[in-house]
Amino acid sequence: MNLKDNRAELLALADQLRPELHRYCARLMGSVIDGEDVVQDTLIRALAALQDLDETPPLRPWLFRIAHNRALDLLRGRAVRMAEPIDAASDIADSTTPDPLEMLMRQEAVKTAVSRFAELPILQRSVVILKDVLDESLLEIAALLDLTVDAVKGHLARGRAHLREINAQAGPVPEARSVSAETARYVALFNQRDWDGLRALLADDVKLQQSAYPLRVGAADVGMFFTNYAKSSGVWLAPGWLEGRDVIAVFDDRADPKPSYMMWLEWRDGRITFIRDYHHVRYVAADAELSWVAKK
C-alpha cells in the first residue's frame, strides 16, 4: 500500500475513531477542550509519521498510542504525573459477561464527570478509562500501555477504588458566573443576525479554528464564518461556562432543550482575536460539564 492509500485509510479510520479518541483523551486530560486538542494533534502527528514508516501499523492501536503519549507529554509539562507501585490484582474480571459488581464499577466510570479523572494517578486513569469507559480488554490495555496484564489489573483495582472515593467526596456543581459583556454582545448580535456587526468585532489578525479544517486567518477570511451561519436560520446561541472559561452554547434550534455544540472566543481590546468552533466535532459537547444561561 502506497503513502497515498495509507493517508486515505488513516483519514477514514480517524473520522470514525475521533469520538472514541476524545472520550479517552478528555478524561486523561481532565478537560473536553484539552482532550480535543490532543485528538487533533494526534492526527497531525500520525499523518506526518506515515511518511517515515516502511509498513503501516494496525491503525487503531497506533492512533491510541500516539494520543496516549501526546497526552502524557502535556501532563508531564504540568508536573501532575504521580508515581505509584505496580502490583497484581488477579481477581479483576475480563469477560464478555462481567459480574454485577463489575458492571456497577463500569457504570460509575461512565457517569463520572470528565474533570474528576484528573485526580487519579496517570496509569490508574488510563486503565480505568480504557477498561470501564471504552471497554478494552486487559490484553489490549497491557499492549497499549506496555504493562503486564497483572499490572493492568492492579492499576484498575486501585483506580476504581480511588474513583469511588473521588465521587463520594465531590462537592456540588458550582453556580454559573455572571455573563461577560463581550460574550453577551457577541451572542446578542448573532441572535439578531447582525452579521456586519459581528464582522466589525473581528481583529485584523483574528484566527478561526474548526476541527481538522485549515486554520483561517484575517478578518476577511474569518468573516466567511458568519456567511455560513447566515444560511442556518434556526441556530441560536446562549452564553455559557465550561472548565472555568466563558463559552457559547450553540443550539441547532431555539426550541432544543440542550446545546448541540459550543464555541469560545478570545478578545483583545474589545475585538475578537480567536474563534474556536466545535460544529464539526459535536462529540466534545456530549461529555462537557457545560452550563448556560436559559434562553428567553
Side-chain angles (χ1 to χ4, degrees), residues 11-124:
L11 289 172
L13 179 63
D15 193 49
Q16 299 173 19
L17 281 181
R18 281 188 82 117
E20 196 174 359
L21 277 170
H22 182 261
R23 295 186 78 191
Y24 179 63
C25 294
R27 288 165 175 81
L28 201 59
M29 300 300 296
S31 161
V32 297
I33 291 174
D34 291 347
E36 178 58 20
D37 289 344
V38 173
V39 170
Q40 197 155 326
D41 196 23
T42 294
L43 300 181
I44 292 171
R45 288 166 180 259
L47 284 172
L50 278 179
Q51 302 178 43
D52 299 324
L53 297 177
D54 295 327
E55 295 184 5
T56 305
L59 290 177
R60 187 180 186 279
W62 185 57
L63 287 173
F64 266 90
R65 181 175 288 277
I66 294 172
H68 176 81
N69 290 337
R70 178 56 183 153
L72 256 60
D73 286 344
L74 294 172
L75 290 169
R76 289 190 189 102
R78 296 180 185 175
V80 298
R81 191 177 189 195
M82 293 173 280
E84 56 172 330
I86 295 178
D87 53 27
S90 58
D91 56 335
I92 296 294
D94 187 32
S95 69
T96 56
T97 55
D99 61 39
L101 180 58
E102 179 92 356
M103 287 300 298
L104 284 174
M105 289 186 288
R106 292 187 185 182
Q107 290 169 9
E108 180 167 17
V110 170
K111 294 177 182 178
T112 296
V114 168
S115 58
R116 293 180 190 166
F117 281 88
E119 299 180 44
L120 292 176
I122 290 294
L123 284 175
Q124 289 183 16

Side-chain angles (χ1 to χ4, degrees), residues 136-153:
E136 300 284 338
S137 72
L138 296 177
L139 282 173
E140 290 169 331
I141 297 170
L144 174 63
L145 302 180
D146 197 22
L147 298 170
T148 66
V149 170
D150 279 348
V152 170
K153 291 179 179 180

